[in-house]
Amino acid sequence: MATSGGPTVRRRRLGAELRRLREAAGVSVEEVCDLLRCSVSKVSRLENGRVPVRTRDVQDLLTLYGIHDDKHREALLALARESRRHGWWHDYHDVVPAWFEIYIGLEGDAASISVYESQLVHGLLQTADYARHVIRAEAPESPDGEVDRMVSLRLDRQRRLTGDNPPRLWVILDEAVLRRTIGGPAVMRGQLQWLRKQSELPNVTVQALPFSVGAHAGLGSTFSILGFPNSSDHDVVYIEEAAGSLYLERPSEIRRYRVKLDYLMASALSPEESMQMISSIAEDMK
């Protein structure tokens, strides 16, 4: 069993395998609840890779599922141990809500990240000044030191774009994102110039979706689709909300958002035209 990737991806693999083994053995969720003394929702989160699982519980589950082969058991136990390790973002545990830790882990292992943003520049492309104003607006009561740490986390996430094996990042930005003056003209001009610079990276593409398009496939939504290098790790659609996040993983859901993304790419300006629009808007912010 492949063990590449960070703890979040490994947790997903372990959960998916435990679900497969449970279903193959004909064991009900209620039987697992009785064994682990937990709720149905806890079993669901475990099998979806949302929570870590103790190696002792994995041992008990494998016995319940009739898995006695030593190599198979040890491979899954090793995956359980690896999935409980802290990711690099643990240093920011004081400012990262639990629901966002999952996304950071997935983003850190993704081979491709495709995004439609209707309100803000995506976090992987934000400048420090822009990020600080966004975070301050979202958390007006947070101490300055906490805001600084959240900005640092955002910048640390961006280092993957220029590191080894960087992800393929494709971002579609609604024109409203480009014209919303976050932090004042100087900050916004710097952000737009940074977008142009980052779009020169071979693994980064930025498209602008102009107002002139009118109605489009992304109305009322902002979403990201994350793809992974290992074929056993299925894509994830991530939708962030005010107080949490939603992860969609069913094949039908992935297809639906892939179609949305295809329509948005076709409706948006070409990357070259997008850079011309961004430059023009930046020039007007004086």
Side-chain angles (χ1 to χ4, degrees), residues 2 11 24 31 40 42 45 61 71 78 82 122 135 150 174 189-190 215-216 219-220 224 281 283 286:
R11 196 180 301 162
E31 289 176 274
V40 171
K42 175 68 176 292
R45 293 196 300 274
L61 287 172
K71 288 186 177 180
E82 293 164 357
H122 190 265
I135 292 167
M150 286 190 276
D174 192 278
R189 187 166 59 251
H216 57 77
L219 286 175
S224 301
I281 296 173
E283 282 296 314
K286 294 180 179 179

Side-chain angles (χ1 to χ4, degrees), residues 5-105:
T8 305
V9 166
R10 289 169 177 171
R11 196 180 301 162
R12 290 179 72 220
R13 289 178 192 158
L14 176 63
E17 180 65 4
L18 290 175
R19 183 195 303 113
R20 187 188 70 79
L21 292 174
R22 177 180 61 77
E23 293 173 346
V27 175
S28 69
V29 171
E30 289 72 21
E31 289 176 274
V32 175
C33 292
D34 290 340
L35 176 68
L36 301 184
R37 297 184 179 182
C38 67
S39 65
V40 171
S41 63
K42 175 68 176 292
V43 175
S44 175
R45 293 196 300 274
L46 184 155
E47 292 186 346
N48 286 321
R50 299 287 183 264
V51 294
V53 56
R54 298 180 302 176
T55 53
R56 178 70 225 181
D57 288 343
V58 173
Q59 289 176 326
D60 292 343
L61 287 172
L62 294 179
T63 299
L64 178 64
Y65 302 157
I67 306 301
H68 302 294
D69 178 77
D70 289 341
K71 288 186 177 180
H72 194 178
R73 289 177 69 94
E74 181 50 39
L76 287 170
L77 289 170
L79 197 53
R81 288 190 290 270
E82 293 164 357
S83 70
R84 293 182 67 85
R85 293 177 180 172
H86 294 309
W88 64 265
W89 58 91
H90 183 69
D91 290 343
Y92 294 98
H93 69 277
D94 56 320
V95 295
V96 179
W99 58 264
F100 194 56
E101 282 190 22
I102 297 172
Y103 175 77
I104 294 176

Side-chain angles (χ1 to χ4, degrees), residues 7-285:
T8 305
V9 166
R10 289 169 177 171
R11 196 180 301 162
R12 290 179 72 220
R13 289 178 192 158
L14 176 63
E17 180 65 4
L18 290 175
R19 183 195 303 113
R20 187 188 70 79
L21 292 174
R22 177 180 61 77
E23 293 173 346
V27 175
S28 69
V29 171
E30 289 72 21
E31 289 176 274
V32 175
C33 292
D34 290 340
L35 176 68
L36 301 184
R37 297 184 179 182
C38 67
S39 65
V40 171
S41 63
K42 175 68 176 292
V43 175
S44 175
R45 293 196 300 274
L46 184 155
E47 292 186 346
N48 286 321
R50 299 287 183 264
V51 294
V53 56
R54 298 180 302 176
T55 53
R56 178 70 225 181
D57 288 343
V58 173
Q59 289 176 326
D60 292 343
L61 287 172
L62 294 179
T63 299
L64 178 64
Y65 302 157
I67 306 301
H68 302 294
D69 178 77
D70 289 341
K71 288 186 177 180
H72 194 178
R73 289 177 69 94
E74 181 50 39
L76 287 170
L77 289 170
L79 197 53
R81 288 190 290 270
E82 293 164 357
S83 70
R84 293 182 67 85
R85 293 177 180 172
H86 294 309
W88 64 265
W89 58 91
H90 183 69
D91 290 343
Y92 294 98
H93 69 277
D94 56 320
V95 295
V96 179
W99 58 264
F100 194 56
E101 282 190 22
I102 297 172
Y103 175 77
I104 294 176
L106 293 173
E107 181 186 82
D109 281 312
S112 64
I113 304 170
S114 304
V115 181
Y116 168 63
E117 287 281 359
S118 62
Q119 299 187 61
L120 297 169
V121 172
H122 190 265
L124 290 178
L125 295 175
Q126 292 180 7
T127 65
D129 287 339
Y130 182 98
R132 182 168 287 103
H133 283 281
V134 168
I135 292 167
R136 174 55 70 197
E138 293 174 339
E141 298 180 357
S142 295
D144 289 343
E146 189 173 300
V147 172
D148 289 342
R149 283 182 55 70
M150 286 190 276
V151 172
S152 294
L153 169 61
R154 199 157 298 187
L155 298 181
D156 277 350
R157 285 168 51 203
Q158 295 176 8
R159 291 192 173 92
R160 259 209 85 204
L161 293 179
T162 53
D164 296 333
N165 299 315
R168 183 75 179 89
L169 177 64
W170 197 299
V171 178
I172 302 172
L173 299 175
D174 192 278
E175 185 175 343
V177 175
L178 305 175
R179 294 192 180 277
R180 180 172 288 109
T181 310
I182 302 292
V187 170
M188 195 63 202
R189 187 166 59 251
Q191 175 62 73
L192 295 175
Q193 291 169 346
W194 181 245
L195 275 177
R196 280 190 55 87
K197 181 175 177 60
Q198 291 302 89
S199 70
E200 295 173 0
L201 294 173
N203 54 307
V204 175
T205 300
V206 176
Q207 284 185 276
L209 187 68
F211 291 144
S212 59
V213 168
H216 57 77
L219 286 175
S221 65
T222 287
F223 61 91
S224 301
I225 305 176
L226 296 93
F228 302 91
N230 193 314
S231 59
S232 64
D233 299 322
H234 51 269
D235 292 356
V236 176
V237 173
Y238 171 75
I239 301 172
E240 188 170 319
E241 300 172 338
S245 56
L246 181 64
Y247 297 87
L248 306 178
E249 302 182 49
R250 293 192 183 97
S252 60
E253 295 169 332
I254 302 298
R255 284 195 296 272
R256 178 187 172 199
Y257 278 88
R258 284 284 179 197
V259 169
K260 277 180 175 287
L261 189 70
D262 287 344
Y263 275 109
L264 287 167
M265 287 180 173
S267 299
L269 299 175
S270 70
E272 294 76 15
E273 292 170 330
S274 298
M275 289 306 104
Q276 292 172 8
M277 170 180 273
I278 289 172
S279 295
S280 176
I281 296 173
E283 282 296 314
D284 291 339
M285 289 191 176

